[in-house]
Amino acid sequence: MTRIKDLPDVIPIFPLPGALLLPRARLPLHIFEPRYLAMIEDCMKTPQRLLGMIQSRDLPGSEEKTLHSIGCAGRLTAFSETEDGRYLITLTGISRFRVRKEITGFAPYRRTEADWADFTRDQGHEEKDPGLDRDRFFDLLQRFFTMHQLSTDWSSLKDAEDELLINSLSMLCPFEPDDKQALLEAPSLETRRETLVMLMEFGLHGGDDEMVQ
């Protein structure tokens, strides 16, 4: 279990649109841009090996992009290098954070001051979702996967614990970046599942159906 006092005040961030990391989940990444190769090398030199995943967003009337206020930090738990110098890594989600401010300096990648105080739940035990109706949930999920021509190991998915099931689907389903941000910011696993259901129903029926509980 990670405690707030063990988390750093400043972390490097990877603003990758559509990529979602959630606490206790794993996210594989393929790193090839020089600035992010440098970021991974610097990350591996720190004791926590933390990297913040965060969504960028457009600024009205500008070609520049700013950051959403909430991201999720992951620990670099797997690393390999290809023959042509690319990195294949895995991040394991540790905790969400709130952006205090960006840090300017000499690093070629972006860094931010991170406030962890609002996300003590992330640093605790695996969550349960007592309101999850698995039969109705999987009926909706199968229709959504069929529509998007997605495949999965259904037996393993049905055997997954609540948190692994809901968080994995939140990360993997083809939603827009703003929708991924809504899943990230959900205050509880139950709220995340309700948001996930709403997004799948919207994708299937234009959001007119009653939400599955």
PDB file of all heavy atoms in Angstrom, residues 130-144:
ATOM      1  N   PRO A 130     -20.918  -3.389  -5.095  1.00  0.00           N
ATOM      2  CA  PRO A 130     -22.054  -4.244  -4.713  1.00  0.00           C
ATOM      3  C   PRO A 130     -23.280  -4.055  -5.589  1.00  0.00           C
ATOM      4  O   PRO A 130     -24.163  -4.922  -5.618  1.00  0.00           O
ATOM      5  CB  PRO A 130     -22.332  -3.818  -3.263  1.00  0.00           C
ATOM      6  CG  PRO A 130     -21.744  -2.462  -3.117  1.00  0.00           C
ATOM      7  CD  PRO A 130     -20.558  -2.426  -4.029  1.00  0.00           C
ATOM      8  N   GLY A 131     -23.369  -2.940  -6.318  1.00  0.00           N
ATOM      9  CA  GLY A 131     -24.530  -2.707  -7.169  1.00  0.00           C
ATOM     10  C   GLY A 131     -24.412  -3.278  -8.568  1.00  0.00           C
ATOM     11  O   GLY A 131     -25.333  -3.127  -9.385  1.00  0.00           O
ATOM     12  N   LEU A 132     -23.309  -3.944  -8.874  1.00  0.00           N
ATOM     13  CA  LEU A 132     -23.089  -4.464 -10.219  1.00  0.00           C
ATOM     14  C   LEU A 132     -23.980  -5.672 -10.488  1.00  0.00           C
ATOM     15  O   LEU A 132     -23.894  -6.686  -9.808  1.00  0.00           O
ATOM     16  CB  LEU A 132     -21.618  -4.849 -10.388  1.00  0.00           C
ATOM     17  CG  LEU A 132     -21.224  -5.558 -11.689  1.00  0.00           C
ATOM     18  CD1 LEU A 132     -21.508  -4.673 -12.897  1.00  0.00           C
ATOM     19  CD2 LEU A 132     -19.755  -5.970 -11.638  1.00  0.00           C
ATOM     20  N   ASP A 133     -24.838  -5.554 -11.490  1.00  0.00           N
ATOM     21  CA  ASP A 133     -25.653  -6.672 -11.983  1.00  0.00           C
ATOM     22  C   ASP A 133     -24.905  -7.267 -13.171  1.00  0.00           C
ATOM     23  O   ASP A 133     -24.978  -6.749 -14.285  1.00  0.00           O
ATOM     24  CB  ASP A 133     -27.039  -6.175 -12.390  1.00  0.00           C
ATOM     25  CG  ASP A 133     -27.973  -7.287 -12.869  1.00  0.00           C
ATOM     26  OD1 ASP A 133     -27.466  -8.309 -13.377  1.00  0.00           O
ATOM     27  OD2 ASP A 133     -29.194  -7.122 -12.735  1.00  0.00           O
ATOM     28  N   ARG A 134     -24.176  -8.347 -12.940  1.00  0.00           N
ATOM     29  CA  ARG A 134     -23.279  -8.877 -13.968  1.00  0.00           C
ATOM     30  C   ARG A 134     -24.026  -9.370 -15.200  1.00  0.00           C
ATOM     31  O   ARG A 134     -23.534  -9.213 -16.326  1.00  0.00           O
ATOM     32  CB  ARG A 134     -22.396  -9.979 -13.391  1.00  0.00           C
ATOM     33  CG  ARG A 134     -21.262  -9.421 -12.524  1.00  0.00           C
ATOM     34  CD  ARG A 134     -20.358 -10.499 -11.972  1.00  0.00           C
ATOM     35  NE  ARG A 134     -19.193  -9.891 -11.339  1.00  0.00           N
ATOM     36  CZ  ARG A 134     -17.955  -9.925 -11.833  1.00  0.00           C
ATOM     37  NH1 ARG A 134     -17.715 -10.544 -12.967  1.00  0.00           N
ATOM     38  NH2 ARG A 134     -16.959  -9.334 -11.201  1.00  0.00           N
ATOM     39  N   ASP A 135     -25.181  -9.966 -15.031  1.00  0.00           N
ATOM     40  CA  ASP A 135     -25.922 -10.476 -16.196  1.00  0.00           C
ATOM     41  C   ASP A 135     -26.295  -9.336 -17.134  1.00  0.00           C
ATOM     42  O   ASP A 135     -26.062  -9.410 -18.351  1.00  0.00           O
ATOM     43  CB  ASP A 135     -27.175 -11.221 -15.748  1.00  0.00           C
ATOM     44  CG  ASP A 135     -26.857 -12.551 -15.082  1.00  0.00           C
ATOM     45  OD1 ASP A 135     -25.744 -13.086 -15.325  1.00  0.00           O
ATOM     46  OD2 ASP A 135     -27.705 -13.062 -14.330  1.00  0.00           O
ATOM     47  N   ARG A 136     -26.854  -8.281 -16.601  1.00  0.00           N
ATOM     48  CA  ARG A 136     -27.252  -7.142 -17.424  1.00  0.00           C
ATOM     49  C   ARG A 136     -26.029  -6.409 -17.980  1.00  0.00           C
ATOM     50  O   ARG A 136     -26.033  -5.951 -19.123  1.00  0.00           O
ATOM     51  CB  ARG A 136     -28.130  -6.182 -16.622  1.00  0.00           C
ATOM     52  CG  ARG A 136     -29.441  -6.777 -16.155  1.00  0.00           C
ATOM     53  CD  ARG A 136     -30.272  -5.774 -15.414  1.00  0.00           C
ATOM     54  NE  ARG A 136     -30.745  -4.709 -16.289  1.00  0.00           N
ATOM     55  CZ  ARG A 136     -31.366  -3.620 -15.841  1.00  0.00           C
ATOM     56  NH1 ARG A 136     -31.540  -3.429 -14.542  1.00  0.00           N
ATOM     57  NH2 ARG A 136     -31.782  -2.697 -16.693  1.00  0.00           N
ATOM     58  N   PHE A 137     -25.003  -6.314 -17.148  1.00  0.00           N
ATOM     59  CA  PHE A 137     -23.778  -5.640 -17.589  1.00  0.00           C
ATOM     60  C   PHE A 137     -23.153  -6.376 -18.774  1.00  0.00           C
ATOM     61  O   PHE A 137     -22.775  -5.750 -19.779  1.00  0.00           O
ATOM     62  CB  PHE A 137     -22.797  -5.553 -16.421  1.00  0.00           C
ATOM     63  CG  PHE A 137     -21.532  -4.813 -16.741  1.00  0.00           C
ATOM     64  CD1 PHE A 137     -21.485  -3.428 -16.700  1.00  0.00           C
ATOM     65  CD2 PHE A 137     -20.367  -5.496 -17.098  1.00  0.00           C
ATOM     66  CE1 PHE A 137     -20.319  -2.731 -16.999  1.00  0.00           C
ATOM     67  CE2 PHE A 137     -19.200  -4.816 -17.396  1.00  0.00           C
ATOM     68  CZ  PHE A 137     -19.177  -3.438 -17.340  1.00  0.00           C
ATOM     69  N   PHE A 138     -23.034  -7.691 -18.689  1.00  0.00           N
ATOM     70  CA  PHE A 138     -22.396  -8.443 -19.770  1.00  0.00           C
ATOM     71  C   PHE A 138     -23.270  -8.500 -21.017  1.00  0.00           C
ATOM     72  O   PHE A 138     -22.746  -8.601 -22.136  1.00  0.00           O
ATOM     73  CB  PHE A 138     -22.017  -9.841 -19.295  1.00  0.00           C
ATOM     74  CG  PHE A 138     -20.674  -9.889 -18.616  1.00  0.00           C
ATOM     75  CD1 PHE A 138     -20.574  -9.898 -17.242  1.00  0.00           C
ATOM     76  CD2 PHE A 138     -19.504  -9.874 -19.363  1.00  0.00           C
ATOM     77  CE1 PHE A 138     -19.333  -9.904 -16.614  1.00  0.00           C
ATOM     78  CE2 PHE A 138     -18.261  -9.891 -18.756  1.00  0.00           C
ATOM     79  CZ  PHE A 138     -18.170  -9.904 -17.370  1.00  0.00           C
ATOM     80  N   ASP A 139     -24.591  -8.444 -20.852  1.00  0.00           N
ATOM     81  CA  ASP A 139     -25.457  -8.371 -22.034  1.00  0.00           C
ATOM     82  C   ASP A 139     -25.178  -7.090 -22.814  1.00  0.00           C
ATOM     83  O   ASP A 139     -25.020  -7.099 -24.039  1.00  0.00           O
ATOM     84  CB  ASP A 139     -26.918  -8.417 -21.599  1.00  0.00           C
ATOM     85  CG  ASP A 139     -27.861  -8.237 -22.774  1.00  0.00           C
ATOM     86  OD1 ASP A 139     -27.957  -9.172 -23.610  1.00  0.00           O
ATOM     87  OD2 ASP A 139     -28.502  -7.172 -22.875  1.00  0.00           O
ATOM     88  N   LEU A 140     -25.084  -5.963 -22.095  1.00  0.00           N
ATOM     89  CA  LEU A 140     -24.758  -4.688 -22.735  1.00  0.00           C
ATOM     90  C   LEU A 140     -23.360  -4.733 -23.341  1.00  0.00           C
ATOM     91  O   LEU A 140     -23.140  -4.280 -24.475  1.00  0.00           O
ATOM     92  CB  LEU A 140     -24.854  -3.563 -21.706  1.00  0.00           C
ATOM     93  CG  LEU A 140     -24.405  -2.176 -22.156  1.00  0.00           C
ATOM     94  CD1 LEU A 140     -25.302  -1.640 -23.272  1.00  0.00           C
ATOM     95  CD2 LEU A 140     -24.405  -1.205 -20.965  1.00  0.00           C
ATOM     96  N   LEU A 141     -22.415  -5.283 -22.607  1.00  0.00           N
ATOM     97  CA  LEU A 141     -21.028  -5.331 -23.069  1.00  0.00           C
ATOM     98  C   LEU A 141     -20.891  -6.153 -24.351  1.00  0.00           C
ATOM     99  O   LEU A 141     -20.178  -5.749 -25.282  1.00  0.00           O
ATOM    100  CB  LEU A 141     -20.140  -5.922 -21.978  1.00  0.00           C
ATOM    101  CG  LEU A 141     -18.631  -5.924 -22.245  1.00  0.00           C
ATOM    102  CD1 LEU A 141     -18.106  -4.498 -22.354  1.00  0.00           C
ATOM    103  CD2 LEU A 141     -17.899  -6.672 -21.130  1.00  0.00           C
ATOM    104  N   GLN A 142     -21.575  -7.270 -24.423  1.00  0.00           N
ATOM    105  CA  GLN A 142     -21.493  -8.102 -25.627  1.00  0.00           C
ATOM    106  C   GLN A 142     -22.060  -7.374 -26.838  1.00  0.00           C
ATOM    107  O   GLN A 142     -21.510  -7.462 -27.943  1.00  0.00           O
ATOM    108  CB  GLN A 142     -22.216  -9.426 -25.394  1.00  0.00           C
ATOM    109  CG  GLN A 142     -21.439 -10.367 -24.480  1.00  0.00           C
ATOM    110  CD  GLN A 142     -22.197 -11.634 -24.172  1.00  0.00           C
ATOM    111  OE1 GLN A 142     -23.426 -11.629 -24.023  1.00  0.00           O
ATOM    112  NE2 GLN A 142     -21.490 -12.742 -24.049  1.00  0.00           N
ATOM    113  N   ARG A 143     -23.147  -6.640 -26.644  1.00  0.00           N
ATOM    114  CA  ARG A 143     -23.705  -5.870 -27.760  1.00  0.00           C
ATOM    115  C   ARG A 143     -22.757  -4.752 -28.187  1.00  0.00           C
ATOM    116  O   ARG A 143     -22.596  -4.479 -29.384  1.00  0.00           O
ATOM    117  CB  ARG A 143     -25.074  -5.301 -27.369  1.00  0.00           C
ATOM    118  CG  ARG A 143     -26.155  -6.375 -27.286  1.00  0.00           C
ATOM    119  CD  ARG A 143     -27.530  -5.798 -27.038  1.00  0.00           C
ATOM    120  NE  ARG A 143     -27.724  -5.402 -25.655  1.00  0.00           N
ATOM    121  CZ  ARG A 143     -28.061  -4.187 -25.252  1.00  0.00           C
ATOM    122  NH1 ARG A 143     -28.222  -3.214 -26.153  1.00  0.00           N
ATOM    123  NH2 ARG A 143     -28.233  -3.909 -23.986  1.00  0.00           N
ATOM    124  N   PHE A 144     -22.130  -4.108 -27.218  1.00  0.00           N
ATOM    125  CA  PHE A 144     -21.180  -3.040 -27.523  1.00  0.00           C
ATOM    126  C   PHE A 144     -19.967  -3.590 -28.267  1.00  0.00           C
ATOM    127  O   PHE A 144     -19.515  -3.008 -29.258  1.00  0.00           O
ATOM    128  CB  PHE A 144     -20.754  -2.359 -26.217  1.00  0.00           C
ATOM    129  CG  PHE A 144     -19.816  -1.193 -26.414  1.00  0.00           C
ATOM    130  CD1 PHE A 144     -20.296   0.059 -26.752  1.00  0.00           C
ATOM    131  CD2 PHE A 144     -18.451  -1.360 -26.250  1.00  0.00           C
ATOM    132  CE1 PHE A 144     -19.434   1.130 -26.931  1.00  0.00           C
ATOM    133  CE2 PHE A 144     -17.578  -0.295 -26.419  1.00  0.00           C
ATOM    134  CZ  PHE A 144     -18.076   0.962 -26.764  1.00  0.00           C
TER     135      PHE A 144
END
